Amino acid sequence: MDETMLQEIKNQHINNYKKALVEIIQNNTNALVEDDVKPFFIKPPLDSMDLIRSKMISLAKRKQIVLDTVLLDEALDFYRNDVIMCCYKINKMRIDYLIDKVNKYDLINRKEAINFYKKDFVALNKNMKKTIKDQISISIEKKLICKIKKMIPSNVLNDISDNYINEVTKYLKKQYQKQILDLFDIKVLIKDTTLINSIKEQGNHYTFTMKNSRLLNDFE
């Protein structure tokens, strides 16, 4: 077997390795978005499980306000749809970023496998969190807060109405957002750790073949 054919075999081994890494990255990221992040925003099966809806209604009851739940549910749907679309943006952002790191790694001239470390995710995770935080803030303001006035009966005194809107606004902008972003950090950290371990395992398979393949070692 001549040198050209052996080089082609080595290149094929490298390409197969990179394809495996790309698939691992895609599956890991899709699981992060579909299984971990989107459920924060998808409408739950029971109204009592809806954090925002339950909070807005309970605050209204304290002030003896009967909210228009039809308008509330409509506003919540618009809010959810907005943020869910942002989840897909995060999905693409993470996949593109990590695959780019794989593609830039020179496996032709370097014998060691590709590895990911926690530091490799710092900038990415910061951008992802900012993206979802900004979208939540914008969507809360445009899809929820500005719609609350219409949900309140016209016979409710302005002072009571304004006080209610202020309390809901405070909850949405502070407690709710903090809770979601803290959960987001935890979910991302778990998936990052899983990905680091999966990439390492695949790298071990790759280096084992490189070291123990008689054909590839003969070529070297």
Side-chain angles (χ1 to χ4, degrees), residues 2 9 11-12 29 62 72 88 92 114 126 135-136 154 161-162 164 172 176 187 210:
D2 60 25
I9 293 172
N11 289 342
Q12 185 62 47
T29 303
R62 291 179 195 174
L72 172 57
Y88 296 123
K92 185 176 185 306
I114 298 171
K126 183 177 180 180
Q135 185 63 61
I136 290 173
S154 58
S161 175
D162 291 343
Y164 171 72
L172 291 174
Y176 169 73
K187 297 295 186 180
M210 291 295 287

Side-chain angles (χ1 to χ4, degrees), residues 28 36 94 185-195:
N28 177 274
D36 296 332
R94 190 171 188 266
D185 285 340
I186 293 170
K187 297 295 186 180
V188 170
L189 177 60
I190 292 172
K191 280 299 186 290
D192 286 352
T193 303
T194 301
L195 182 57

Side-chain angles (χ1 to χ4, degrees), residues 68 71 146-153:
D68 186 328
L71 291 179
C146 68
K147 306 286 186 180
I148 298 175
K149 188 72 174 178
K150 294 181 180 179
M151 302 176 198
I152 301 172

Side-chain angles (χ1 to χ4, degrees), residues 17 23 25 56 58 105 155 159 166 173 179 187 201:
Y17 172 50
E23 184 176 356
I25 290 169
M56 290 181 66
S58 67
Y105 197 91
N155 61 347
D159 286 351
N166 287 337
K173 289 187 173 182
Q179 183 177 358
K187 297 295 186 180
E201 182 179 353

Side-chain angles (χ1 to χ4, degrees), residues 18-217:
K18 284 192 172 183
K19 286 178 182 178
L21 295 185
V22 167
E23 184 176 356
I24 290 170
I25 290 169
Q26 290 173 332
N27 290 339
N28 177 274
T29 303
N30 290 339
L32 169 65
V33 172
E34 295 294 330
D35 301 338
D36 296 332
V37 179
K38 274 179 61 178
F40 296 159
F41 309 105
I42 293 175
K43 185 176 181 179
L46 300 175
D47 288 340
S48 60
M49 299 169 63
D50 190 326
L51 289 177
I52 297 177
R53 191 180 194 276
S54 296
K55 185 68 174 181
M56 290 181 66
I57 290 176
S58 67
L59 287 174
K61 285 181 178 179
R62 291 179 195 174
K63 300 182 183 302
Q64 297 183 326
I65 297 173
V66 180
L67 286 183
D68 186 328
T69 55
V70 173
L71 291 179
L72 172 57
D73 290 339
E74 183 181 274
L76 285 170
D77 286 342
F78 282 124
Y79 164 72
R80 290 190 181 98
N81 290 337
D82 255 17
V83 186
I84 287 173
M85 290 304 296
C86 181
C87 291
Y88 296 123
K89 183 178 180 180
I90 286 174
N91 186 295
K92 185 176 185 306
M93 181 189 301
R94 190 171 188 266
I95 288 176
D96 288 350
Y97 179 88
L98 295 174
I99 289 179
D100 184 59
K101 291 185 75 67
V102 170
N103 289 334
K104 285 180 177 178
Y105 197 91
D106 181 12
L107 285 166
I108 299 294
N109 299 307
R110 301 177 67 175
K111 294 183 178 180
E112 64 268 26
I114 298 171
N115 281 304
F116 286 166
Y117 303 96
K118 289 184 178 180
K119 64 181 181 180
D120 295 319
F121 294 88
V122 174
L124 169 64
N125 291 346
K126 183 177 180 180
N127 289 335
M128 286 171 54
K129 185 173 182 178
K130 183 179 186 305
T131 298
I132 193 117
K133 180 181 179 181
D134 290 347
Q135 185 63 61
I136 290 173
S137 296
I138 292 170
S139 298
I140 280 176
E141 189 67 46
K142 292 185 176 181
K143 305 300 182 180
L144 284 173
I145 294 175
C146 68
K147 306 286 186 180
I148 298 175
K149 188 72 174 178
K150 294 181 180 179
M151 302 176 198
I152 301 172
S154 58
N155 61 347
V156 175
L157 295 176
N158 287 336
D159 286 351
I160 296 175
S161 175
D162 291 343
N163 183 261
Y164 171 72
I165 293 172
N166 287 337
E167 285 192 28
V168 172
T169 299
K170 182 179 179 180
Y171 166 74
L172 291 174
K173 289 187 173 182
K174 293 184 178 180
Q175 184 180 337
Y176 169 73
Q177 286 195 53
K178 184 180 185 304
Q179 183 177 358
I180 293 296
L181 293 173
D182 286 348
L183 287 171
F184 179 81
D185 285 340
I186 293 170
K187 297 295 186 180
V188 170
L189 177 60
I190 292 172
K191 280 299 186 290
D192 286 352
T193 303
T194 301
L195 182 57
I196 288 170
N197 292 333
S198 298
I199 294 292
K200 183 178 180 180
E201 182 179 353
Q202 192 66 41
N204 290 339
H205 293 319
Y206 169 76
T207 54
F208 178 85
T209 302
M210 291 295 287
K211 291 177 181 178
N212 294 279
S213 168
R214 182 175 180 278
L215 182 61
L216 294 173
N217 282 304

